[in-house]
Amino acid sequence: MIYEEHMVDRQPAVESSPEKEKSLNFVEEIINDHLASGRFGQRVHTRFPPEPNGYLHIGHAKSIVLNFSLAEKYGGFCNLRFDDTNPSKEEEEYVQSIKEDIKWLGFDWEDREYYASDYFEQLYEWAIKLIKDGKAYVCDLPSDKAREYRGTLTEPGKNSPYRDRSVEENLDLFERMREGEFPDGARVLKAKIDMAHPNFNMRDPVMYRILHARHHRTGDKWCIYPMYDFTHGQSDSIEKITQSICTLEFENHRPLYDWFCEKLDIHHPQQIEFARLNLTYTVMSKRKFLILVNEGFVSGWDDPRMPTISGLRRRGYTPESIRKFCDYIGVAKNNSIVDVTILENHVREHLNAIAPRVMVVLNPIKVVIENYPEGQVEQLSAVNNPEDESAGSRIVPFSRELYIDRDDFMEVPVKNYFRLSPGKEVRLRYGYIIKCDSVVKNDMGEIVELRCSYDPDTLGKQPTDRKVKGVIHWVSAEQALEAEIRLYDRLFLAENPDKVEEGQDFRSHVNPESLQVIQHAKLEPSLKGAQAGERFQFERIGYFHVDQDSQGDDLVFNRITSLRDTWAKIASRS
Ligand code: ATP
Ligand code: MG
C-alpha cells in the first residue's frame, strides 16, 4: 500500500474536456455533409451491431456511446442489432448480457431490437437475384484450392473453373445447398466480381457456406449461413440505416459493402470507419477473454479485473464515468493505444464527487489511549463528502481503544515521516491529536499494541504551541465492523500485454498479484447496512464498491481504484 503524507480528500481532477462546444469529429462532419446534400433526407439512423459471441468490453462501450450519442445529437435513432450469422459460437447468454450492459450504460434502443438471423430469408432471396443476374455462382473448389486461386498481394488470382456455370445450374445447386444435400464445406456461393482486383475482398468473395449447425434463433431451419460481408450491409439496408459506423479493419470491406448494395439496387447506407479503442495494460478481444475465463485467470466474464462492461460494473465503475471517458477520447481515423490511467482518472473524478467518505482500517493495529476514561464513548462529527455539502455529516464513535493502520506507525521513522512513531504526535481524522508513549510487543518481538495519550484540547483545533502535520484515519475498536476487502489491481503487468517473447502469449504478462484479499478489515459502524452496489471512499485509501457476494452484515468490498495513480510512481521510480 502506498500512502501519501497527509493525503487529503482532494486529488487532481482529470484535465477533463471543458464544457464548451467541442469541435466536430470526422464522423459528425460526414453526417453534416449528408444532411447538407440530402443524401438520406434529414435522417440520421445508426446501429450498434454486436456479435453475440461474448460479453461486451470497454471497446464496445466506445462504439455504443458513439452510435447512440450521434442518434441523440441529431434527433435520430440507434438500433441494436445482433449480428448472429455464426451459429456455432453464439449463445443466448451473451444476448442477455449485451442488453443488460447497454442499458446499464444508459442507452435505450426502445423497440428497435433486431437480429441479422431474422433477415436470412431476405438474404437468400437476394442471393438468388444475384445468381439470376449472373453476379453469383456456386463454387466447388475445396478451401485449400480456393486459397490458391485467390492469388497473392502481388499476383492476381485465377478464375475458378466453376465461375461460368449457367444460371440454371447455379440456381439448382444453391437450392440443393439449402436443402441440405451437401456436407459442410462441399460448396460455397461466391460473388462474381474480379479475381484480379487489387483488393482481396473483391476477388469473388464467399457469400454463403454450408454449415450443418443449430442456430440459437433459427434452430435447424438453415444449413447454409451467409457470411458477414453478405449480411452486414444488407441488414443495414433493411433497417434503413444512414451511417454504418464500424472499426478500421473493415475499411477494405467497404468496396464490397458498396458493391452488394449497388448490384442489389437497395437502400445504400454510408459505411464509416473509426479506430478501435485499445488500452494500456489491457487485452481487448473476446477470444482472449474466453481464454482468461476458461483457464481460471479470472473468476468469470464479470471478474472485477476484466475490461468487460460487466467486470467494470462489478468493480464499481459508474456508467457516467465510462460514457465521459468515451467522449473524452473521441473518435479518430488512426489506431492508437489509450493510457488506462485516463479511464481510471475518469472514475476517480466521478467518485470524488459522489462517493461518501468513511474510515476503514485495512491492516489494523490496536491503539490504547491511556488517559482516556474507560467505558467513555464520544460521538464525533465527520463530513460525508467535502465535495458535496448536501451530503451532510455523520457520527463516528471515539473511545479508549482504537484501530489504526499498521502502515501509519513506524517504530524507527524515516526522514519526513509525519505519522505516528514513539514520542511523536499525529492527528486522528475528525478527532484529537494523540501521542505514542510506548509500544507493546509479543514474544516474537512483533508490535501488537500502541500505548498513546490524547490532548483533550485539540478537537477541531490546532494547538498553538506546536505543529502536528500528519492526519491518519482510525476506527473505534468496540464499535468496529469487520469486512472482507478485495484489493484488485491491474490484470497485466505489461503496458502492452500482446508484446511477448517468442513462444509466449499475453498470458505470460498476467499480474500474479492482481487480487489480494484482506479478511478482517475494521470498518466504522456507519457502514452497517451497506448494500451491494454502493460506493464509498475509504479515506486515504481509495474507492470501494460493495460486492454482490455480500450477505447481510457480512460485507465484501471491491477496490475500484486507489485515490491516485500509484502505477505512475512505480514506473517513474524504476
Ligand atoms: P472482439 O474483437 O473483441 O471480439 P468484435 O469487433 O468482434 O470484437 P463485435 O461484436 O463484432 O466485436 O463488435 C460490435 C461493434 O463494436 C462493432 O461495430 C465493432 O466495430 C465495435 N467494436 C468492437 N471492438 C471495439 C473496440 N475495441 N473499439 C471500438 N469499437 C469496437
Ligand atoms: Mg466480430
Side-chain angles (χ1 to χ4, degrees):
M1 218 175 314
I2 298 172
Y3 285 145
E4 284 285 290
E5 291 305 338
H6 30 246
M7 189 179 247
V8 284
D9 289 301
R10 277 171 192 286
Q11 77 236 8
V14 179
E15 345 88 67
S16 62
S17 40
E19 296 303 333
K20 69 175 185 341
E21 271 301 293
K22 278 204 277 180
S23 58
L24 295 182
N25 65 46
F26 79 94
V27 179
E28 291 166 337
E29 278 170 7
I30 295 173
I31 294 178
N32 285 353
D33 286 348
H34 289 158
L35 292 173
S37 71
R39 173 163 166 192
F40 304 109
Q42 293 305 299
R43 289 191 314 115
V44 171
H45 200 146
T46 57
R47 84 286 171 267
F48 173 65
E51 187 184 350
N53 62 345
Y55 282 61
L56 297 181
H57 52 62
I58 180 80
H60 294 112
K62 176 172 176 175
S63 174
I64 293 168
V65 170
L66 179 62
N67 279 293
F68 278 93
S69 304
L70 284 171
E72 210 170 277
K73 173 168 179 177
Y74 287 94
F77 299 102
C78 179
N79 295 357
L80 169 59
R81 182 197 319 135
F82 290 98
D83 209 335
D84 58 350
T85 52
N86 197 347
S88 42
K89 285 200 242 154
E90 291 157 4
E91 286 176 33
E92 187 57 26
E93 176 198 347
Y94 299 136
V95 169
Q96 292 312 326
S97 76
I98 288 169
K99 294 204 286 192
E100 190 185 339
D101 289 349
I102 300 173
K103 278 191 206 142
W104 179 75
L105 281 173
F107 298 105
D108 186 2
W109 56 94
E110 297 171 318
D111 57 351
R112 295 178 308 278
E113 177 178 327
Y114 300 113
Y115 293 81
S117 56
D118 287 345
Y119 308 140
F120 281 173
E121 199 64 52
Q122 173 69 72
L123 293 172
Y124 182 80
E125 276 167 38
W126 278 335
I128 300 275
K129 174 180 159 58
L130 289 182
I131 294 173
K132 286 183 176 161
D133 291 348
K135 305 222 172 324
Y137 63 98
V138 173
C139 181
D140 304 353
L141 284 177
S143 58
D144 53 331
K145 274 271 173 287
R147 210 168 303 125
E148 249 176 70
Y149 274 72
R150 278 191 97 191
T152 64
L153 282 176
T154 48
E155 281 167 66
K158 287 187 299 194
N159 285 351
S160 157
Y162 305 100
R163 201 174 196 257
D164 295 318
R165 275 179 162 149
S166 69
V167 169
E168 289 67 36
E169 192 184 358
N170 280 320
L171 285 174
D172 172 62
L173 284 171
F174 187 51
E175 208 176 296
R176 285 160 62 196
M177 278 168 64
R178 178 182 182 165
E179 296 305 318
E181 214 174 288
F182 313 116
D184 289 0
R187 297 191 150 87
V188 294
L189 183 73
K190 284 181 177 172
K192 195 191 274 192
I193 306 181
D194 179 1
M195 288 307 290
H197 201 287
N199 182 337
F200 256 56
N201 294 311
M202 300 296 274
R203 294 186 187 173
D204 291 10
V206 174
M207 293 164 57
Y208 269 90
R209 57 187 172 147
I210 301 173
L211 200 62
H212 293 264
R214 214 184 142 72
H215 186 278
H216 77 123
R217 283 172 68 87
T218 57
D220 294 318
K221 179 163 181 217
W222 296 89
C223 61
I224 54 171
Y225 288 95
M227 303 301 286
Y228 171 88
D229 283 319
F230 191 65
T231 309
H232 196 83
Q234 286 76 341
S235 304
D236 285 343
S237 181
I238 291 168
E239 294 172 20
K240 295 285 184 287
I241 298 302
T242 53
Q243 288 80 20
S244 173
I245 303 167
C246 60
T247 37
L248 277 184
E249 65 270 26
F250 292 102
E251 191 166 22
N252 54 17
H253 292 243
R254 179 159 23 101
L256 185 54
Y257 185 108
D258 292 339
W259 191 90
F260 281 130
C261 285
E262 274 162 30
K263 301 304 169 203
L264 291 169
D265 195 20
I266 54 178
H267 168 73
H268 188 161
Q270 177 67 52
Q271 179 180 304
I272 303 169
E273 309 86 15
F274 73 102
R276 2 173 14 103
L277 169 65
N278 291 301
L279 284 176
T280 56
Y281 297 98
T282 313
V283 295
M284 196 81 84
S285 128
K286 287 180 266 191
R287 190 181 57 77
K288 289 173 192 157
F289 297 156
L290 204 57
I291 293 174
L292 290 170
V293 171
N294 289 342
E295 298 186 7
F297 288 101
V298 293
S299 62
W301 286 94
D302 71 344
D303 184 294
R305 289 163 291 185
M306 292 279 270
T308 51
I309 310 273
S310 49
L312 295 170
R313 175 167 62 234
R314 186 154 178 199
R315 178 86 169 245
Y317 273 61
T318 60
E320 294 87 341
S321 62
I322 295 175
R323 288 205 306 265
K324 217 165 162 196
F325 163 76
C326 292
D327 273 345
Y328 176 81
I329 56 173
V331 281
K333 261 287 185 197
N334 342 57
N335 279 318
S336 66
I337 302 182
V338 173
D339 188 338
V340 72
T341 314
I342 297 177
L343 173 62
E344 293 164 350
N345 281 343
H346 274 84
V347 75
R348 284 189 185 104
E349 187 186 56
H350 189 217
L351 294 176
N352 182 46
I354 63 161
R357 275 57 170 170
V358 288
M359 292 197 286
V360 172
V361 174
L362 296 185
N363 187 9
I365 181 166
K366 183 72 104 25
V367 167
V368 179
I369 302 179
E370 292 180 308
N371 60 342
Y372 196 84
E374 253 173 269
Q376 183 171 319
V377 180
E378 227 172 309
Q379 304 293 352
L380 304 180
S381 171
V383 173
N384 284 335
N385 187 346
E387 303 290 315
D388 174 10
E389 221 174 289
S390 72
S393 60
R394 68 188 184 287
I395 292 296
V396 286
F398 178 81
S399 65
R400 186 179 151 92
E401 297 198 357
L402 316 170
Y403 292 110
I404 66 164
D405 204 294
R406 268 178 195 276
D407 291 5
D408 285 332
F409 177 80
M410 261 186 134
E411 192 173 14
V412 183
V414 293
K415 194 163 170 261
N416 288 333
Y417 188 81
F418 297 116
R419 290 167 275 168
L420 204 57
S421 52
K424 290 280 164 50
E425 286 185 309
V426 77
R427 176 174 292 282
L428 296 176
R429 185 104 166 110
Y430 309 116
Y432 299 96
I433 287 175
I434 59 169
K435 178 168 155 196
C436 178
D437 301 317
S438 62
V439 166
V440 181
K441 296 186 179 178
N442 64 13
D443 295 346
M444 269 114 68
E446 296 161 343
I447 299 172
V448 290
E449 204 174 280
L450 304 174
R451 296 273 159 170
C452 298
S453 52
Y454 85 117
D455 179 345
D457 285 334
T458 53
L459 185 62
K461 54 181 183 218
Q462 285 296 341
T464 47
D465 56 343
R466 60 200 196 275
K467 220 173 166 173
V468 178
K469 279 192 177 175
V471 181
I472 63 172
H473 61 281
W474 53 277
V475 170
S476 173
E478 198 189 324
Q479 294 83 1
L481 312 175
E482 283 199 348
E484 175 179 325
I485 314 280
R486 299 176 183 166
L487 298 175
Y488 289 105
D489 203 346
R490 291 179 186 164
L491 187 53
F492 293 97
L493 290 169
E495 191 166 310
N496 178 359
D498 287 314
K499 204 171 134 195
V500 286
E501 307 272 303
E502 177 94 23
Q504 294 192 321
D505 68 12
F506 68 100
R507 282 173 283 200
S508 63
H509 290 304
V510 168
N511 177 4
E513 287 166 18
S514 59
L515 170 58
Q516 188 198 339
V517 181
I518 291 181
Q519 284 300 352
H520 301 286
K522 305 288 184 184
L523 282 51
E524 67 167 66
S526 75
L527 279 163
K528 189 172 168 62
Q531 300 292 314
E534 286 190 74
R535 304 177 182 90
F536 297 92
Q537 184 193 94
F538 291 0
E539 293 213 33
R540 300 178 62 236
I541 304 175
Y543 294 101
F544 289 78
H545 181 234
V546 184
D547 190 75
Q548 64 198 40
D549 285 347
S550 300
Q551 306 235 323
D553 283 346
D554 290 335
L555 293 173
V556 177
F557 288 85
N558 299 326
R559 177 165 66 194
I560 307 169
T561 171
S562 54
L563 282 185
R564 295 186 188 184
D565 179 15
T566 48
W567 281 61
K569 275 179 246 138
I570 292 165
S572 66
R573 260 189 231 142
S574 55

